[in-house]
Amino acid sequence: MKPEMTIPRRWNPWPASIIAFFVVALIGCGTFVAYCNRHPADLVASDYYEQEVRYQGQINRLQHAQQNAHLASVNYDSSHKCIQITLPPNQSAAKAVGTIQLYRPSSMNLDRQLELGIDANGVQRIDAARMSPGLWKVRVSWSVDRQDYFVDQKVVIEPKGR
């Protein structure tokens, strides 16, 4: 009788590799879900659908404002730390009524809405000293003699100390 030879059993890495792959994939998915929950993606507006439906009226207001676009303006005055809104002279005398929306694209929580209150020269200044630095969209919507107007202008608020 021949002595039996035992073949040493070699370790097979495939089962452990497959299990390790799925464990790493599950940990990666869990980490991604946790990251997404801690960094919310705010909607542009809570009623964005209704705003889209009313967009044709917005286009009409924008066209009316473009006819007087060279006269209506929104600017940031860095020396006085204020946003200056200027309406055409003929509209300031006619008592323009409207709203100003300060829209911060990066954070919905910083958005503000103000009443339009221009002086006799057609100018309104908004204090920007306490506003967060960065990009802001200033949307001015006003009405004069049953005619609606709209101006949408971007301004960049400089960091304090500049």
Side-chain angles (χ1 to χ4, degrees):
M1 221 175 181
K2 260 175 132 174
E4 248 182 68
M5 279 181 77
T6 58
I7 301 174
R9 199 165 188 192
R10 293 182 55 197
W11 182 69
N12 188 357
W14 283 106
S17 300
I18 292 171
I19 291 171
F21 172 79
F22 283 109
V23 167
V24 169
L26 288 174
I27 290 172
C29 287
T31 302
F32 181 69
V33 167
Y35 174 80
C36 290
N37 284 333
R38 292 177 191 211
H39 296 85
D42 293 332
L43 292 174
V44 172
S46 57
D47 62 342
Y48 67 93
Y49 181 73
E50 290 83 10
Q51 288 181 4
E52 288 296 321
V53 171
R54 296 186 307 254
Y55 195 66
Q56 183 58 44
Q58 184 75 358
I59 292 171
N60 294 342
R61 287 189 293 273
L62 194 56
Q63 287 174 345
H64 294 146
Q66 285 177 345
Q67 293 169 355
N68 293 322
H70 61 285
L71 301 174
S73 66
V74 176
N75 297 309
Y76 174 67
D77 183 358
S78 59
S79 62
H80 294 100
K81 301 279 188 220
C82 71
I83 297 172
Q84 181 173 312
I85 298 165
T86 307
L87 297 186
N90 63 336
Q91 293 182 0
S92 62
K95 300 289 185 191
V97 177
T99 59
I100 302 166
Q101 182 184 11
L102 301 173
Y103 169 69
R104 178 68 184 231
S106 63
S107 179
M108 183 169 106
N109 298 331
L110 297 175
D111 294 353
R112 292 195 286 172
Q113 186 159 340
L114 309 167
E115 289 296 319
L116 183 65
I118 56 174
D119 61 16
N121 298 322
V123 177
Q124 179 172 350
R125 289 178 181 83
I126 301 169
D127 183 24
R130 292 190 199 115
M131 293 173 66
S132 297
L135 177 68
W136 287 82
K137 289 186 178 183
V138 180
R139 295 175 173 163
V140 184
S141 178
W142 74 98
S143 180
V144 174
D145 297 329
R146 293 185 290 219
Q147 186 69 49
D148 294 329
Y149 299 91
F150 178 78
V151 172
D152 187 1
Q153 186 69 41
K154 296 176 186 175
V155 296
V156 177
I157 307 292
E158 296 176 354
K160 292 172 179 54
R162 274 193 164 187

